[in-house]
Amino acid sequence: MKKSPQTTNFLPFILGGLGLILLSVITLILQSNPGNVSRSSDPYILTPIEINQPAPALTLSDLQGQEVSLTDYLGDVVMVNNWATWCPPCREEMPEFQIYYNDHKEEGFQIIAVEAGEPAQQVRDFVDQLGLSFVVLLDPENLSLITFQNSSLPNTWVIDRKGQLRLAWLGAINRDTLEEYVTPLLKE
């Protein structure tokens, strides 16, 4: 049986809606799990998933065309954020990341923001508009999303000074969340 053009046109919207529902359910499960309760009383602090495994290998190009690898930052605490210029929660968390980065870069903290597939000029314009000074990488083939096995945006991963993945968030996070969960890693 041949699909009607109307059914085919709505398929991306249906799949996108199902994806948003799935992400909402996962977020609710993570937030309601007693073993995953935030140490803070602030309801806006999203509790991370705790991990302890070697960070994956990943090399991409920055806005100047220079290759950057996660291993270049061994010895620093590195936060990898997968995001896109078209993603509202991604856009909202960037100024918070910049503030946190400014406050902690002297402690051996680095942010690597991996933009998922937009043209370089569009990403440059966004970075310039917000005055972002941390590392921004271009990922036209979505290698970071594949490497971290998570295609939802935004998603954030924290790698400790020894190159171990320690924390992960699915969804937007804020400065208070970073202070609560990442700052202690800076003291290790």
Side-chain angles (χ1 to χ4, degrees):
M1 182 171 162
K2 189 174 180 180
K3 291 183 181 179
S4 72
Q6 290 177 335
T7 304
T8 306
N9 290 342
F10 288 110
L11 187 59
F13 294 108
I14 292 169
L15 292 175
L18 289 173
L20 287 174
I21 291 169
L22 179 60
L23 183 59
S24 297
V25 169
I26 290 170
T27 301
L28 285 173
I29 290 169
L30 289 174
Q31 289 178 338
S32 66
N33 179 351
N36 203 22
V37 175
S38 173
R39 295 181 290 248
S40 171
S41 60
D42 185 343
Y44 298 105
I45 293 181
L46 183 62
T47 304
I49 299 165
E50 294 186 20
I51 305 169
N52 189 16
Q53 67 185 41
L58 181 66
T59 301
L60 296 167
S61 294
D62 65 14
L63 292 171
Q64 293 73 38
Q66 301 296 311
E67 280 195 352
V68 175
S69 178
L70 294 182
T71 58
D72 296 343
Y73 297 96
L74 195 59
D76 289 340
V77 173
V78 178
M79 185 177 88
V80 178
N81 176 258
N82 290 298
W83 66 287
T85 60
W86 51 263
C87 165
C90 302
R91 296 173 67 92
E92 288 174 19
E93 65 186 359
M94 287 295 164
E96 303 251 345
F97 290 171
Q98 184 62 54
I99 293 167
Y100 186 83
Y101 175 71
N102 289 343
D103 290 347
H104 295 284
K105 63 185 174 186
E106 299 301 322
E107 299 170 61
F109 175 71
Q110 185 57 253
I111 295 176
I112 299 178
V114 182
E115 206 290 331
E118 295 300 312
Q121 190 56 53
Q122 185 173 338
V123 177
R124 270 189 213 95
D125 291 345
F126 179 84
V127 167
D128 291 345
Q129 177 186 7
L130 290 181
L132 303 179
S133 62
F134 46 80
V135 176
V136 175
L137 302 180
L138 301 172
D139 192 5
E141 297 175 16
N142 291 315
L143 295 177
S144 185
L145 296 176
I146 294 166
T147 298
F148 284 98
Q149 299 177 10
N150 188 328
S151 61
S152 65
L153 294 175
N155 64 71
T156 304
W157 307 81
V158 177
I159 304 167
D160 69 16
R161 296 180 193 282
K162 296 176 184 172
Q164 291 287 111
L165 275 177
R166 296 284 296 277
L167 305 170
W169 287 273
L170 308 175
I173 56 177
N174 61 28
R175 183 173 174 225
D176 290 338
T177 301
L178 296 174
E179 289 291 352
E180 181 164 342
Y181 291 100
V182 178
T183 302
L185 294 177
L186 294 171
K187 298 178 185 350
E188 290 183 2

